[in-house]
Amino acid sequence: MATMMTKMKIVRIQQAPQTGLKTRRTTTARNAVSSRRSTHATAINMTRGTSISIFSSWTLSACSGREQEREKKINLRSNQIKISSSLICRAESSPSENEAPSVSINAKDDSTAVGTPPKVVESEIIPRPPLKVAAALALVGSLESTYLAVQKLSGGDVVCPVGGCQTALNSSYAELFGLPLSLYGAVAYFIVAFLAFSGSNINPEESKELESKYKKSRVLFFLSTCGLAGVSSYLLYVLAVKLGGVECVYCLTSASISFALFSIGFSGLTPKETVNASPPAISLFFVTMLSLSLVLGLGADNVDDGDEPEFLSYETPRIEAVSTQYSRELAKYLKESGAKMYGAFWCSHCLDQKEEFGKDTELPYVECFPEGWQKGAEIAKVCADTKVKGFPTWVINGKTFEGDKTLEELAKESGFKTQTPFESPSSESSSSIPDFLE
């Protein structure tokens, strides 16, 4: 029994260590499994974190690369625009035949460029001259010339406030091909007025077609005024040189209107139009002056040489009309009041004025060519001191009147009053009887 007990104890003792060892092994295995699981989980977590980090880094890198590529494209586009703009500026500033054609960039492309403002193209300013004012001036010139032409054709005398009008208008330079020169002037002024008025009714801002039409009308108006300026320049030369500096109000007024129209036409041109229109304008100006000098100048010389003798000796004109009591009293009053009548023995208007008074009247008459007349002869000193420009010329109460006047006009200007009833001198038929009896 004892032996069995002892064996059982040994067996238990032997089993006890084995059981403890088994328990330790089981715990160790469990710990190993747990450690492996923990390590695996850690590895999985590390793998996930690393993958996310790598993916995020790759995404950021890709986005950054796209942004850089986009910035490079924008910078490249901006440089191209700057280079193109530089080419345009060079082409516009110094064009030549050897340079390449100018480069143009659309405004749409310029607006998309970063940091580059769109190019602003300045259009040429269209001049707007006062064409309606020019039309009014030309119309005044046409009316003035029409008045002079009617008076010339009808044989009447024009109203002249200073003197010299009749001398200029009755000269051979005042006719062209048998018609008054003022008649041609009236037509020319009317054409210029029509051109100015037509151009003033065009609005160049409505369309390109109207802008081109307005440009042509301005240039055409300017060229027409060059012709008027040429005519006026030649006529001023005639007044100053050929006619001895006579004062003609109508001639000077017409010249002033012509030069005013020329100034308006010149102000209505752009610098480019001025350069293009200058050659034909200058040619038209000088051709007009040369043509008038040939036609009027040679015609006037032929008239002077053919119709007038080289010398006219002084002769007292013969008065046919019989004077009346009224005309004799008026002539005496004019002489006593200091009035003077300046004339020339060859002047037909002076003869008409003397016929208005009749013979046997004491007219205060002053002869301006007492020694006779010849081409280039000087006027008498007393007439030159009075600045006589035409015949006859009346000086009454310090006022100068040119042309022959009626008895009523002379009485009114001199202040003559009488109880004698007005009676005009008798006709030539009644005066021929005494002359015949004598």
Side-chain angles (χ1 to χ4, degrees), residues 2-73:
T3 303
M4 292 180 62
M5 291 295 290
T6 302
K7 290 182 180 180
M8 290 178 67
K9 289 182 182 180
I10 293 171
V11 171
R12 288 179 181 176
I13 293 170
Q14 291 178 350
Q15 290 179 349
Q18 291 179 355
T19 303
L21 180 60
K22 185 177 181 180
T23 301
R24 288 195 296 272
R25 288 178 179 176
T26 301
T27 302
T28 302
R30 290 177 178 176
N31 292 333
V33 171
S34 177
S35 177
R36 284 196 297 273
R37 290 178 177 176
S38 176
T39 301
H40 182 65
T42 302
I44 291 173
N45 292 333
M46 291 180 61
T47 302
R48 291 178 178 176
T50 303
S51 300
I52 293 172
S53 176
I54 292 173
F55 179 75
S56 299
S57 176
W58 179 82
T59 302
L60 293 175
S61 178
C63 293
S64 177
R66 291 179 181 176
E67 290 293 333
Q68 291 178 358
E69 184 178 358
R70 183 180 178 184
E71 289 180 0
K72 288 181 180 180
K73 290 182 178 180

Side-chain angles (χ1 to χ4, degrees), residues 46 74 98 126 205 223 237 271 277 286-287 292 303 379 422:
M46 291 180 61
I74 292 174
N98 297 327
I126 302 175
E205 298 177 357
L223 293 177
Y237 161 77
F286 286 104
V287 167
L292 286 177
V303 170
I379 196 172
F422 172 78

